Amino acid sequence: MNKKKYFIIIIGIISYVFIMLGQDKSPIEEVGIISGIGYDIEIKGQNSFEYTIPISTNVYKPSGSQVNLVFKESGQNPGEIIQKRQEKMDKKFVQGHEKIIVISEDYARHGLKTLIEDRFRNPEANDMAYMVICKGKAEDYLKYKKEGYINSSEYIGGLVESYGDYSFFSNNYKLIDAYVRIGAEGRDLVLPYINITEAGIEIIGVAIFDEDRMVDLADIKNGKVLNMLKNDEVKGIISLQKSPKEYIDFDSKTGKRKVKCYKQGDKYSFIIELSFTGVVSNNEMYMNMIKDINIKKEFEKDMAKSMEKQCNDFLKIMQNDYKVDCITLGREAAGKFGRQKGIDWNEVVSNADIKVNVVVKVELQGGGDY
C-alpha cells in the first residue's frame, strides 16, 4: 500500500516538473497584458481595404506601478498587422485576458468574417470577451479615460454586463456567441451599440446583423422591445404614463418565451407568448393596489395591453424596415418544419403573420404605496 502511495507521489512530482519546464514564462515587467482589442477599417477603393487593430494593454513597471497603453497598427490583413506591431515593440503581448472587443460600425457593415477567423483560429484568444459595435473609431473607445478605471476595457465590459438588469439585454454578446450565431439557420446576431456622448460612453441601441454584416441599428427604445421578444428570462423596467404626475414603473423579469408556428401553403404564422412578473417600484396611477385586488388586475391588464402594442409596433419596423429575423423566429420554424431546405428565414419572417400575447403579473408591491 505504501509503495503504491509513493509511486503516485513520484509520478505527480515528475508530471509537475515537466509541465513547469514546458511553460514559456517571462517576468511580468517584460510582457504587455491585452485588456481590450479594437477593429477599424478604411475602404480605399473597390476591393481595397486597410485594417487597423488597436489594442489596449496593461504594462507593469519595475516599481510595481501599472499603466495602460494603446498600440495601433494597420495593414492589409491581421497577420501583417501582428507582425508589424511586434517589430516595433519591446514586450511580448499576452492574450486571453481581453474583456472587450470594440468594432467600428464601418468594420461591422463591411463584415465580421475577418475578425471571426482571426479570433477563432487563435488558441490564446478569450472567446468569453464581450463584443460591441461603436460609432466612429474603435481606437477612441480604447483610449477613453474613465475615472476609477485603469483602462476603458474594464468599464465598457462592465457596462454591457450590467445593462441587462434594466433593458432586457441578455448576456449573449460574447465572442463565442458570435461563433454560434453567424451562419446558423434561423438565427441572426445582434450586438450592443455604443457611442461617446457628453455623459461618457453609453449604450445607445442594438446593431442588427444579417449573417456577418451589420445591416441596421435599432435605437434604445426599439432595442429594448427587440430583447423582450428575443430573450428568455431577462430583466428590465417597463412603465405606463398618462401625464408628468401620473405614472407607474414595473420592475420585471420575463419568463421563457413561447413561440407557436403554423404554416398554410408558403405562408407562415407565429404566435409569441410573453410573460412579465415583478414588483411595482413607483406608483402614481393605481392607488390602493395593495388593498384592492381589482385595481391590481386593472394594472396588469393595462400593462399587458401596452406591451402588446409596443411589440406590434416594433414588429412592423422589423418586417418593413430591417427585413431581418432579429428575434430568431426562423429557428423555431426550422425546428418544426425541417432544416437545411434552403429557406430564407429573413424573407419568411418579414412576410409572416405575427401575433403577440402578453401576460403581466404583480408579485409584490414596492415602495410606491404607503
Side-chain angles (χ1 to χ4, degrees):
M1 186 71 178
N2 287 335
K3 289 183 179 180
K4 183 177 180 181
K5 181 178 179 181
Y6 288 133
F7 178 76
I8 294 172
I9 293 173
I10 291 171
I11 292 296
I13 293 173
I14 293 173
S15 300
Y16 175 78
V17 170
F18 272 107
I19 291 171
M20 294 304 292
L21 288 175
Q23 288 184 344
D24 184 14
K25 297 185 292 183
S26 301
I28 194 169
E29 294 84 1
E30 296 180 5
V31 300
I33 299 175
I34 299 176
S35 60
I37 186 166
Y39 286 86
D40 289 318
I41 190 172
E42 182 180 350
I43 301 176
K44 294 182 173 292
Q46 187 175 9
N47 298 322
S48 178
F49 318 105
E50 183 177 69
Y51 297 100
T52 300
I53 304 180
I55 57 173
S56 175
T57 308
N58 294 334
V59 177
Y60 295 84
K61 296 183 176 181
S63 62
S65 61
Q66 178 183 354
V67 296
N68 178 255
L69 301 175
V70 175
F71 300 97
K72 180 184 73 171
E73 195 57 72
S74 300
Q76 295 183 349
N77 57 70
E80 179 186 351
I81 293 171
I82 294 170
Q83 182 177 343
K84 289 170 65 176
R85 180 191 295 129
Q86 197 62 59
E87 289 173 352
K88 302 175 183 177
M89 299 304 303
D90 64 343
K91 297 182 185 297
K92 179 181 178 181
F93 290 111
V94 176
Q95 302 183 66
H97 299 273
E98 308 92 80
K99 180 75 173 180
I100 196 75
I101 300 171
V102 183
I103 307 157
S104 70
E105 181 176 340
D106 288 343
Y107 194 109
R109 289 188 181 275
H110 176 69
L112 302 184
K113 182 179 179 181
T114 304
L115 181 159
I116 294 296
E117 289 180 350
D118 176 38
R119 298 280 89 194
F120 184 72
R121 294 179 181 179
N122 184 348
E124 297 179 354
N126 178 19
D127 58 11
M128 298 301 287
Y130 286 110
M131 299 177 68
V132 295
I133 308 302
C134 71
K135 184 178 178 63
K137 297 293 185 182
E139 178 187 2
D140 296 334
Y141 293 80
L142 295 180
K143 287 184 175 179
Y144 185 85
K145 302 298 183 183
K146 178 66 176 179
E147 186 176 355
Y149 291 83
I150 187 64
N151 58 63
S152 63
S153 302
E154 294 289 335
Y155 174 66
I156 298 171
L159 184 67
V160 175
E161 192 169 13
S162 64
Y163 198 73
D165 291 339
Y166 303 99
S167 294
F168 301 99
F169 269 53
S170 74
N171 203 27
N172 299 324
Y173 304 120
K174 301 182 182 70
L175 180 60
I176 193 169
D177 298 311
Y179 293 157
V180 173
R181 283 161 177 76
I182 291 178
E185 185 173 10
R187 305 182 78 177
D188 285 302
L189 181 68
V190 298
L191 292 174
Y193 189 99
I194 62 175
N195 188 22
I196 299 176
T197 69
E198 293 182 359
I201 297 177
E202 296 184 23
I203 295 175
I204 63 166
V206 175
I208 298 171
F209 286 77
D210 182 2
E211 294 185 351
D212 72 317
R213 295 176 185 268
M214 177 181 169
V215 295
D216 220 316
L217 173 65
D219 62 21
I220 202 68
K221 178 182 177 182
N222 287 325
K224 185 176 180 178
V225 181
L226 184 159
N227 282 299
M228 293 177 191
L229 288 165
K230 175 183 172 69
N231 300 318
D232 293 328
E233 299 178 346
V234 286
K235 298 178 181 178
I237 297 175
I238 52 180
S239 304
L240 286 176
Q241 185 161 359
K242 289 183 179 180
S243 70
K245 294 184 178 181
E246 295 178 290
Y247 59 87
I248 184 167
D249 296 325
F250 187 51
D251 195 344
S252 63
K253 179 178 180 179
T254 65
K256 187 173 178 58
R257 183 186 74 159
K258 297 179 181 179
V259 177
K260 298 177 182 178
C261 179
Y262 306 93
K263 181 182 177 184
Q264 187 172 5
D266 293 330
K267 184 74 171 180
Y268 287 79
S269 299
F270 297 90
I271 299 176
I272 304 173
E273 296 182 354
L274 303 178
S275 61
F276 295 82
T277 305
V279 300
V280 173
S281 53
N282 297 287
N283 182 11
E284 298 296 336
M285 279 181 64
Y286 296 83
M287 299 297 104
N288 298 318
M289 188 185 294
I290 293 178
K291 301 175 182 178
D292 192 333
I293 192 171
N294 291 323
I295 296 178
K296 173 176 170 290
K297 289 181 178 179
E298 180 186 359
F299 162 71
E300 292 173 339
K301 181 179 178 181
D302 292 345
M303 181 60 83
K305 185 177 180 181
S306 174
M307 297 315 301
E308 287 176 357
K309 182 180 184 305
Q310 291 183 48
C311 290
N312 288 326
D313 290 344
F314 171 80
L315 289 172
K316 289 179 183 178
I317 296 173
M318 183 187 82
Q319 292 180 300
N320 298 322
D321 297 341
Y322 305 155
K323 296 182 179 180
V324 172
D325 175 24
C326 51
I327 59 174
T328 66
L329 294 180
R331 181 178 62 172
E332 307 293 339
K336 181 174 182 178
F337 296 106
R339 304 183 185 278
Q340 307 300 323
K341 293 185 176 181
I343 297 174
D344 184 343
W345 292 112
N346 288 331
E347 182 179 356
V348 166
V349 172
S350 295
N351 293 286
D353 293 324
I354 308 174
K355 182 180 180 181
V356 180
N357 295 325
V358 176
V359 174
V360 173
K361 182 179 179 182
V362 178
E363 285 191 331
L364 298 172
Q365 185 81 357
D369 283 349
Y370 50 88

